[in-house]
């Protein structure tokens, strides 16, 4: 199957996805909410993610022999109607997160690299690349991520070295000054940015399970979470009360590399390489959005369906009509409850739902 993926490949792509996209506008938003306690809120968000991830991995272990996809599991456990509603919510999440990532990349290219283009010309190549990847299958995305992982990770570490040396982490004290209730509440209100494991739902039937499932993926999650929290802490320590004013965090912390050279910014290359992780994340999310449509329509297209591809491409034009700020401040806040259901409640029940689906599958075969 073209969507088959090994656990090790899944772990690597998950690490890239965690560190792809959270170093753009999220740190400034969190700093605006909580000041120097923003990194604490991020810790709680990752803690909740870790718990949900463990339950989802448990479901993968249970599903390792039957290889049921997410649609089959939901259809046989909670009914087709509920299944379609859940898949529709997933579709909205993937489309919105892709749009936010596209907007951040667009700003990064405009501000940091001084590349100016219109939105349509910007998204079309990304959409075409994504649909080519869908045609090739998820294992092609996984193999490409595996090949690029080393250079992307080295670029990320290189971007962090100089700012980390310049940052005074003592500026993050006292911890909890914003108030623990506010910090916990913020972890929920900004949960849209987290739960990167949700893409795993759409490769449930393709994961090649051997001996270890928990260890490699949890290690990747731990490394990704630690790097994300560290960069957020460094960003706030460097800019203090000005942090909320700088939307492109990764680009701004790179400014501290200039002090070490008289030849201008040397980080443009490492920044461009790190952006590959953001592109991989967008391709994975578009893949998942496409699969949502397939499963809602109860179709399994042999090739990329033109109408579905055009529909998804049209949804990527949303920033032409609605600003990112409006999406984040109104729609996403309003949609937090349905998003929470699929991000944080569904994974907790996935082992049970998988067992129910497997039992019904056995009865059907008998």
């Amino acid at each position: 199957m073209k969507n088959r993926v090994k656990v090790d490949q899944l772990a690597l792509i998950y690490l890239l996805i965690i560190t792809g996209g959270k170093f753009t506008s999220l740190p400034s938003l969190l700093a605006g909410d909580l000041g120097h306690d923003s990194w604490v809120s991020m810790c709680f968000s990752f803690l909740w993610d870790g718990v949900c991830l463990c339950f989802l991995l448990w479901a993968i272990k249970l599903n390792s022999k039957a290889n049921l996809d997410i649609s089959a599991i939901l259809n046989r456990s909670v009914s087709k109607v509920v299944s379609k509603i859940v898949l529709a919510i997933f579709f909205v999440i993937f489309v919105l997160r892709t749009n936010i990532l596209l907007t951040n990349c667009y700003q990064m290219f405009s501000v940091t690299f001084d590349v100016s283009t219109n939105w349509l010309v910007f998204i079309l190549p990304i959409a075409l690349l994504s649909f080519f990847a869908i045609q090739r299958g998820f294992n092609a995305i996984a193999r490409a991520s595996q090949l690029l992982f080393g250079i992307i990770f080295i670029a990320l570490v290189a971007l962090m070295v100089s700012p980390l040396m310049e940052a005074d982490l003592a500026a993050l004290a006292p911890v909890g000054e914003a108030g623990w209730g506010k910090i916990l509440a913020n972890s929920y209100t900004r949960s849209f940015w987290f739960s990167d494991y949700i893409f795993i739902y759409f490769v449930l039937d393709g994961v090649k399970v051997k001996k270890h499932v928990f260890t490699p993926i949890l290690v990747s999650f731990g490394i990704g979470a630690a790097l994300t929290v560290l960069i957020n802490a460094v960003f706030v320590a460097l800019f203090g009360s000005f942090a909320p004013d700088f939307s492109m965090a990764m680009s701004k912390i790179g400014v501290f590399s200039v002090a070490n050279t008289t030849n201008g910014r040397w980080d443009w290359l490492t920044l461009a390489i790190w952006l590959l992780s953001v592109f991989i994340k967008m391709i994975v999310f578009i893949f998942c959005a496409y699969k949502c449509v397939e499963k809602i329509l109860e179709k399994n297209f042999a090739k990329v369906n033109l109408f579905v591809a055009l529909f998804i491409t049209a949804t990527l034009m949303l920033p032409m009509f609605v600003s990112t700020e409006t999406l984040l401040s109104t729609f996403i806040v309003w949609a937090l409850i349905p998003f929470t259901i699929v991000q944080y409640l569904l994974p907790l029940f996935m082992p049970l739902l998988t067992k129910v689906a497997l039992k019904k599958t056995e009865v059907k075969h008998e």
Side-chain angles (χ1 to χ4, degrees), residues 120-196:
L120 188 60
V121 174
F122 179 71
I123 68 168
L124 280 180
I126 298 172
L128 290 172
L129 179 60
S130 299
F131 295 125
F132 173 75
I134 291 169
Q135 178 64 42
R136 299 289 295 177
F138 191 83
N139 55 9
I141 302 174
R143 286 198 300 270
S145 301
Q146 195 173 14
L147 289 172
L148 293 171
F149 176 82
I151 189 171
I152 293 174
F153 198 76
I154 291 171
L156 177 60
V157 173
L159 283 168
M160 291 176 59
V161 172
S162 182
L164 185 59
M165 294 173 64
E166 295 283 340
D168 179 14
L169 296 181
L172 301 177
V175 176
E177 188 177 31
W180 291 105
K182 186 177 180 180
I183 291 171
L184 286 170
N186 184 264
S187 297
Y188 172 68
T189 57
R190 295 299 183 186
S191 59
F192 168 77
W193 295 85
F194 293 86
S195 304
D196 289 317

Side-chain angles (χ1 to χ4, degrees), residues 3-155:
N3 289 326
R4 297 286 282 177
V5 59
K6 297 178 182 177
V7 172
D8 292 342
Q9 291 176 320
L10 198 64
L12 290 180
I13 198 170
Y14 184 37
L15 178 52
L16 289 179
I17 285 175
I18 291 175
T19 55
K22 284 191 177 62
F23 307 148
T24 50
S25 58
L26 179 59
S28 65
L29 290 173
L30 291 176
D33 295 335
L34 301 169
H36 66 259
D37 282 325
S38 59
W39 68 275
V40 183
S41 174
M42 192 172 277
C43 287
F44 281 116
S45 296
F46 277 122
L47 179 62
W48 297 351
D49 276 9
V51 172
C52 293
L53 176 61
C54 288
F55 277 85
L56 183 55
L57 295 179
W58 183 8
I60 290 177
K61 287 280 286 186
L62 294 172
N63 190 43
S64 59
K65 293 183 180 178
N67 287 325
L68 299 177
D69 63 20
I70 181 64
S71 180
I73 292 173
L74 294 176
N75 287 346
R76 298 174 192 182
S77 59
V78 293
S79 80
K80 281 190 175 183
V81 174
V82 175
S83 174
K84 290 181 186 295
I85 293 172
V86 170
L87 290 169
I89 295 172
F90 269 129
F91 176 81
V92 174
I93 290 176
F94 287 124
V95 166
L96 285 178
R97 293 191 68 175
T98 303
N99 273 305
I100 298 298
L101 290 170
L102 282 167
T103 303
N104 289 338
C105 279
Y106 185 81
Q107 292 174 351
M108 185 81 76
F109 278 105
S110 298
V111 175
T112 306
F113 299 116
D114 197 26
V115 176
S116 180
T117 183
N118 65 62
W119 185 256
L120 188 60
V121 174
F122 179 71
I123 68 168
L124 280 180
I126 298 172
L128 290 172
L129 179 60
S130 299
F131 295 125
F132 173 75
I134 291 169
Q135 178 64 42
R136 299 289 295 177
F138 191 83
N139 55 9
I141 302 174
R143 286 198 300 270
S145 301
Q146 195 173 14
L147 289 172
L148 293 171
F149 176 82
I151 189 171
I152 293 174
F153 198 76
I154 291 171

Side-chain angles (χ1 to χ4, degrees), residues 198-219:
I198 57 176
F199 81 95
I200 298 176
Y201 284 113
F202 296 89
V203 292
L204 274 177
D205 56 331
V207 181
K208 297 179 182 177
V209 178
K210 292 184 178 179
K211 291 183 179 180
H212 304 290
V213 174
F214 283 80
T215 302
I217 295 179
L218 287 179
V219 167

Side-chain angles (χ1 to χ4, degrees), residues 116-346:
S116 180
T117 183
N118 65 62
W119 185 256
L120 188 60
V121 174
F122 179 71
I123 68 168
L124 280 180
I126 298 172
L128 290 172
L129 179 60
S130 299
F131 295 125
F132 173 75
I134 291 169
Q135 178 64 42
R136 299 289 295 177
F138 191 83
N139 55 9
I141 302 174
R143 286 198 300 270
S145 301
Q146 195 173 14
L147 289 172
L148 293 171
F149 176 82
I151 189 171
I152 293 174
F153 198 76
I154 291 171
L156 177 60
V157 173
L159 283 168
M160 291 176 59
V161 172
S162 182
L164 185 59
M165 294 173 64
E166 295 283 340
D168 179 14
L169 296 181
L172 301 177
V175 176
E177 188 177 31
W180 291 105
K182 186 177 180 180
I183 291 171
L184 286 170
N186 184 264
S187 297
Y188 172 68
T189 57
R190 295 299 183 186
S191 59
F192 168 77
W193 295 85
F194 293 86
S195 304
D196 289 317
Y197 53 77
I198 57 176
F199 81 95
I200 298 176
Y201 284 113
F202 296 89
V203 292
L204 274 177
D205 56 331
V207 181
K208 297 179 182 177
V209 178
K210 292 184 178 179
K211 291 183 179 180
H212 304 290
V213 174
F214 283 80
T215 302
I217 295 179
L218 287 179
V219 167
S220 289
F221 169 75
I223 295 172
L227 286 173
T228 304
V229 171
L230 178 61
I231 288 183
N232 186 83
V234 167
F235 173 72
V236 175
L238 288 173
F239 292 102
S241 60
F242 294 103
D245 300 323
F246 300 129
S247 59
M248 295 293 105
M250 184 61 87
S251 176
K252 290 300 180 183
I253 64 174
V255 170
F256 284 82
S257 304
V258 177
N260 298 325
T261 176
T262 57
N263 298 318
R265 293 188 66 164
W266 62 268
D267 67 323
W268 67 269
L269 181 58
T270 49
L271 190 61
I273 293 172
W274 167 75
L275 276 172
L276 289 174
S277 66
V278 184
F279 282 102
I280 289 171
K281 188 170 187 172
M282 289 191 289
I283 291 170
V284 169
F285 283 176
I286 292 173
F287 170 89
C288 293
Y290 183 90
K291 289 298 174 184
C292 284
V293 177
E294 267 194 345
K295 296 178 189 307
I296 290 172
L297 297 177
E298 298 183 29
K299 300 287 186 181
N300 187 15
F301 302 114
K303 296 181 178 180
V304 173
N305 183 275
L306 178 61
F307 295 104
V308 177
L310 289 174
F311 172 65
I312 292 176
T313 303
T315 64
L316 301 182
M317 297 181 189
L318 186 62
M320 294 176 65
F321 310 100
V322 182
S323 69
T324 303
E325 290 75 16
T326 302
L327 283 176
L328 292 173
S329 62
T330 56
F331 179 77
I332 291 175
V333 173
W334 173 81
L336 271 180
I337 292 177
F339 286 1
T340 300
I341 291 172
V342 299
Q343 287 181 238
Y344 294 119
L345 290 183
L346 182 60

